[in-house]
Amino acid sequence: MQYVSTRGDSAPLGLSATMSAGLAPDGGLFVPAQWPAFAPADFAERDSADLPNVAAAVLAPFAAVDPLFTDLPAICAEAFSFPAPLIQPPGADFHVLELFHGPTAAFKDFGARFLAASLARTRAAAPKPLHILVATSGDTGGAVAAAFHRRPGFRVTILFPRGLVSPTQERQLTCWDDNVRAIAVNGAFDDCQRLVKGAFADPRFRQNADLSSANSINIGRLLPQMTYFAAASLQLWRKTGAPAHFVIPSGNLGHATAALWARRIGLPIGEIVLAHNANRAMVDWVATGDWRPHPTIATLASAMDVGNPSNAERIHALFPSRDAMADRLLSADAINDAAIAARICADYSAFGALWCPHTAVAAEALALRRRGTGGVNGPWAICATAHPAKFPEIVEPLLARSVPTPPALAALPPTRPAPVIAPSLEDLFDAWWN
């Protein structure tokens, strides 16, 4: 298996080299040069709830003829050491794929830990450290920091938008020492993301270390995220005999791309709904075919506050025209803050469910379909992407109750001061070596 750039001007690379590079030399994003083909029957002998086992099978073709191939089962066992349960709330006519049981209580743990476990093997004899530069709108940075903290041969720099992540998320970004540091940027997530891409194109940043990214622009983040869609869809297929439909909270569109790729390789997945907040560039593209990124809008679902999502480039490569979406198996909705807050309250009252704001975006998008069609046809699942305890300042006042803190969040080290920079490459370069 080789990987090529969405822009077509970079030489193909194998999986290990693609993960180390992060971004393609031509500025594009890596995508598989060819697609494996699966059918549900291929997993008949596997326990669909055993995520490491399913993951090793799903990812094997993507690591073919690569040094990582023989290590893949061990990597999956190391990375996916926590569950991704598929539950059905009492009284609900839908399922919930809970993705917040990892060490930082967000779905980004799956991809970050897989990437770290993979790079630790491929980079074991590298003469220079690999410097991971990552932009975050909240959850990515914490997951990457936890996955790479004190791993020999790695340095991590996290850029986050100052004042635009939740207090708990900021604590998860700024509590690390040793080889991990965070930098606050006076701007939005899109500014942080622009700095990361600019650094990749600037030779000054490559003089003393190899450079890579752990954002979802890195193929090593997306491939493992396919695996829990595979496992959940197989569980629902065996239960109902029908393809599973997913509603996915969407920001930078890595999560959505992973689901689309899982469907592309033959997993039993039906409709995919991209549930956005007020940042609706993808919603408008799905509706009109006109791609118009816009300045970021701050919302209650802050980790999805992305006006120009990077992975749109991968989705456009998968669907080069609106006609390619004519099967109506990809749709998108925009959910405003009032609807987010109302859904948190409504589903707690109806099912006892505790949603983070991002999960509430997905729950509201599903409710829109229920109202529009008179029901939910086939098995539907929403992705619960973060634990509500990461957003107590939003959830607790709405519900007039406290949210239990999971052990992973309770055990966070004390925060450390983060330097603050303007959203410019010059300021980032100055902070880079200081």
Side-chain angles (χ1 to χ4, degrees):
M1 173 70 77
Q2 290 192 311
Y3 298 85
V4 296
S5 171
T6 50
R7 301 183 186 179
D9 292 325
S10 294
L13 296 176
L15 179 60
S16 296
T18 300
M19 286 197 291
S20 290
L23 193 69
D26 63 1
L29 306 186
F30 284 110
V31 296
Q34 57 274 334
W35 296 96
F38 288 100
D42 296 328
F43 301 88
E45 302 301 319
R46 296 179 185 269
D47 179 357
S48 58
D50 183 348
L51 181 59
N53 188 268
V54 172
V58 169
L59 297 179
F62 293 94
V65 198
D66 188 87
L68 284 175
F69 181 79
T70 55
D71 288 334
L72 199 56
I75 291 170
C76 291
E78 176 185 337
F80 308 142
S81 59
F82 48 91
L86 184 68
I87 67 165
Q88 187 166 9
D93 59 355
F94 60 91
H95 293 76
V96 181
L97 180 56
E98 290 187 345
L99 301 173
F100 52 71
H101 294 284
T104 68
F107 79 100
K108 304 294 180 74
D109 286 322
F110 292 94
R113 286 167 59 85
F114 181 90
L115 180 64
S118 298
L119 290 176
R121 288 163 169 82
T122 61
R123 301 276 308 179
K128 292 194 299 184
L130 186 67
H131 199 134
I132 306 291
L133 179 61
V134 59
T136 186
S137 55
D139 291 326
T140 292
V144 170
F148 283 93
H149 186 228
R150 295 183 177 171
R151 280 190 183 264
F154 296 96
R155 292 179 61 198
V156 177
T157 298
I158 303 164
L159 306 183
F160 69 95
R162 184 185 183 194
L164 296 178
V165 300
S166 80
T168 300
Q169 288 174 318
E170 182 165 348
R171 185 182 173 200
Q172 287 185 297
L173 300 173
T174 58
C175 66
W176 307 99
D177 59 5
D178 199 68
N179 65 327
V180 177
R181 63 172 177 168
I183 298 174
V185 177
N186 277 325
F189 168 75
D190 291 311
D191 296 303
C192 300
Q193 186 168 251
R194 177 177 50 78
L195 290 177
V196 169
K197 292 181 177 180
F200 271 80
D202 191 324
R204 295 177 298 172
F205 289 86
R206 295 183 176 272
Q207 289 178 350
N208 295 309
D210 292 339
L211 188 62
S212 188
S213 176
N215 280 95
S216 56
I217 60 176
N218 193 312
I219 202 83
R221 278 275 313 280
L222 286 188
L223 294 179
Q225 289 179 190
M226 290 196 306
T227 64
Y228 48 73
F229 287 113
S233 67
L234 288 168
Q235 290 176 60
L236 291 174
W237 175 266
R238 292 173 183 177
K239 181 179 178 180
T240 68
H245 311 301
F246 289 99
V247 188
I248 304 170
S250 300
N252 205 32
L253 293 173
H255 205 193
T257 301
L260 289 165
W261 284 6
R263 187 175 70 186
R264 175 64 179 78
I265 64 175
L267 275 304
I269 297 173
E271 184 175 358
I272 294 173
V273 180
L274 310 183
H276 291 262
N277 56 25
N279 294 277
R280 53 177 300 134
M282 179 56 63
V283 177
D284 293 337
W285 178 75
V286 170
T288 68
D290 188 11
W291 179 245
R292 291 186 181 180
H294 57 71
T296 300
I297 300 169
T299 75
L300 292 177
S302 57
M304 294 155 50
D305 291 348
V306 184
N308 187 13
S310 289
N311 283 287
E313 191 163 336
R314 285 186 170 118
I315 295 178
H316 294 161
L318 201 59
F319 298 103
S321 70
R322 277 198 77 214
D323 290 342
M325 295 186 292
D327 57 10
R328 300 174 62 86
L329 292 179
L330 176 65
S331 58
D333 288 311
I335 310 299
N336 63 33
D337 277 359
I340 293 172
R343 182 53 49 190
I344 290 173
C345 297
D347 285 359
Y348 179 69
S349 176
F351 314 120
L354 287 172
W355 302 144
C356 80
H358 312 81
T359 307
V361 170
E364 176 62 15
L366 182 57
L368 288 176
R369 264 152 186 71
R370 183 183 295 111
R371 292 195 291 268
T373 63
V376 179
N377 300 316
W380 281 81
I382 67 171
C383 294
T385 50
H387 196 287
K390 299 188 79 166
F391 304 90
E393 64 283 350
I394 296 172
V395 177
E396 292 183 348
L398 288 170
L399 301 182
R401 57 154 291 177
S402 61
V403 177
T405 301
L409 298 184
L412 287 174
T415 59
R416 297 169 177 269
V420 180
I421 66 169
S424 72
L425 276 176
E426 290 70 25
D427 277 34
L428 176 58
F429 184 73
D430 289 342
W432 184 263
W433 304 116
N434 294 329

